[in-house]
């Protein structure tokens, strides 16, 4: 099975991404470390992407989480060229998230600024030896879970990423909630549980984000994971904007 796209389809992807209120999403990201884009994909698109999972020709590697202490479950990293829908979403989402990422870096006193085009950023990754694609497709069955972690993959990491739920809670599976923890200096950690429906995307911080305090901005550390699946099967596609070593 393939997911075909043309230049016209890429423009449609750009149009669907542009329809969201990015000022509000940016405020949500800066305030909470995550934001939900409702109905980014249609149910048919979700089924088509999830249907790629059994076909190894789309993927460069197959990971069993338990073997690495990552949790329980499995996922596959896409190979280049990416399926066109995944590639077009990666390219359309990046410029808007780069605006947020650059604002965060300024607030945290970091000199690095991210280019406005994803192709330029990928070239920076490849110049540093990070050449392997990172978008992935995850599959969970009852008892599976994903430990809290950060998807860094190398010295150059884009500070935001996107996960899109491809299955319908309550129909395809139960349990399996997306969770985010925030480690704050000299304070107890904060937990965010993000409710998603099929086709919804959660945008979230990969590693750090700035928080405004009484003495200026300070940096908090974030990790994300998925709680135990109780029944059914759950598929998610992850869009990470930096490539891996």
């Amino acid at each position: 099975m393939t997911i075909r796209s043309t230049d016209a389809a890429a423009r449609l992807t750009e149009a669907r991404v542009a329809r969201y209120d990015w000022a509000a999403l940016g405020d949500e990201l800066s305030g909470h470390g995550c934001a939900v884009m409702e109905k980014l994909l249609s149910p048919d698109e979700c089924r088509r992407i999830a249907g790629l999972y059994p076909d190894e020709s789309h993927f460069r590697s197959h990971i069993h989480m338990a073997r690495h202490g990552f949790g329980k479950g499995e996922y596959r990293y896409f190979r280049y060229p990416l399926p066109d829908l995944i590639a077009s979403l990666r390219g359309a989402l990046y410029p808007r998230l780069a605006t947020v990422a650059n604002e965060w870096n300024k607030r945290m006193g970091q000199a690095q600024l991210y280019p406005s085009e994803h192709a330029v950023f990928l070239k920076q990754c490849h110049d540093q030896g990070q050449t392997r694609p990172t978008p992935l497709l995850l599959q969970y069955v009852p008892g599976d879970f994903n430990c809290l972690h950060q998807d860094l993959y190398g010295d150059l990491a884009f500070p935001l990423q996107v996960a899109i739920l491809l299955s319908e809670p309550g129909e395809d599976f139960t349990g399996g909630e997306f969770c985010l923890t925030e480690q704050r200096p000299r304070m107890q950690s904060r937990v965010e549980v993000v409710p998603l429906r099929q086709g919804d995307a959660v945008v979230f911080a990969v590693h750090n984000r700035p928080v405004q305090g009484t003495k200026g901005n300070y940096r908090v550390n974030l990790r994300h994971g998925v709680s135990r699946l109780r029944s059914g099967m759950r598929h998610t596609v992850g869009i990470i904007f930096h490539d891996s070593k």
Side-chain angles (χ1 to χ4, degrees):
M1 181 187 296
T2 59
I3 296 180
R4 300 292 182 187
S5 183
T6 62
D7 289 342
R11 289 193 294 270
L12 288 173
T13 302
E14 168 64 28
R16 84 164 79 183
V17 168
R19 75 173 186 252
Y20 290 91
D21 184 342
W22 282 96
L25 288 172
D27 289 344
E28 190 79 4
L29 283 166
S30 293
H32 303 285
C34 63
V36 174
M37 301 174 66
E38 294 183 353
K39 298 180 180 179
L40 179 61
L41 296 182
S42 70
D44 180 62
E45 288 170 327
C46 290
R47 288 189 290 268
R48 288 161 56 202
I49 296 173
L52 299 176
Y53 196 85
D55 186 349
E56 294 184 2
S57 67
H58 294 287
F59 305 98
R60 65 172 175 84
S61 64
H62 185 181
I63 306 298
H64 294 271
M65 296 186 203
R67 295 177 185 173
H68 305 277
F70 297 162
K72 189 172 179 234
E74 59 183 74
Y75 55 89
R76 290 181 163 180
Y77 287 106
F78 286 102
R79 67 170 69 250
Y80 279 132
L82 299 175
D84 289 335
L85 181 55
I86 304 301
S88 62
L89 281 170
R90 204 183 188 202
L93 289 165
Y94 171 86
R96 291 163 176 82
L97 298 180
T99 300
V100 178
N102 286 334
E103 179 192 351
W104 284 8
N105 276 5
K106 289 177 183 177
R107 289 175 58 188
M108 292 187 292
Q110 297 180 357
Q112 181 178 10
L113 293 178
Y114 298 95
S116 59
E117 294 184 10
H118 189 236
V120 177
F121 176 66
L122 278 185
K123 185 178 185 306
Q124 294 177 357
C125 290
H126 296 175
D127 288 346
Q128 293 196 26
Q130 295 177 212
T131 59
R132 297 191 298 168
T134 49
L136 69 164
L137 186 55
L138 302 99
Q139 178 175 279
Y140 299 85
V141 296
D144 289 352
F145 62 95
N146 196 350
C147 295
L148 294 170
H149 65 285
Q150 298 169 329
D151 295 313
L152 296 175
Y153 298 112
D155 294 332
L156 187 57
F158 190 72
L160 291 155
Q161 68 188 70
V162 177
I164 309 170
L165 184 61
L166 304 178
S167 308
E168 180 60 38
E171 295 182 13
D172 298 322
F173 70 95
T174 60
E177 293 86 1
F178 178 87
C179 305
L180 192 73
T181 65
E182 188 172 85
Q183 203 171 12
R184 301 174 293 173
R186 299 177 298 280
M187 300 174 70
Q188 293 183 329
S189 295
R190 183 181 72 88
V191 178
E192 187 93 11
V193 178
V194 183
L196 298 170
R197 308 301 302 183
Q198 185 182 45
D200 290 351
V202 56
V203 187
F204 57 97
V206 174
H207 184 203
N208 300 126
R209 76 174 181 95
V211 174
Q212 181 67 46
T214 56
K215 298 181 180 180
N217 288 286
Y218 63 93
R219 187 180 307 182
V220 297
N221 191 48
L222 295 101
R223 296 179 184 274
H224 65 278
V226 174
S227 70
R228 176 169 57 93
L229 201 76
R230 299 184 180 276
S231 66
M233 181 177 289
R234 179 188 190 274
H235 287 98
T236 307
V237 64
I239 298 178
I240 299 164
F241 297 95
H242 48 273
D243 276 353
S244 173
K245 287 186 175 178

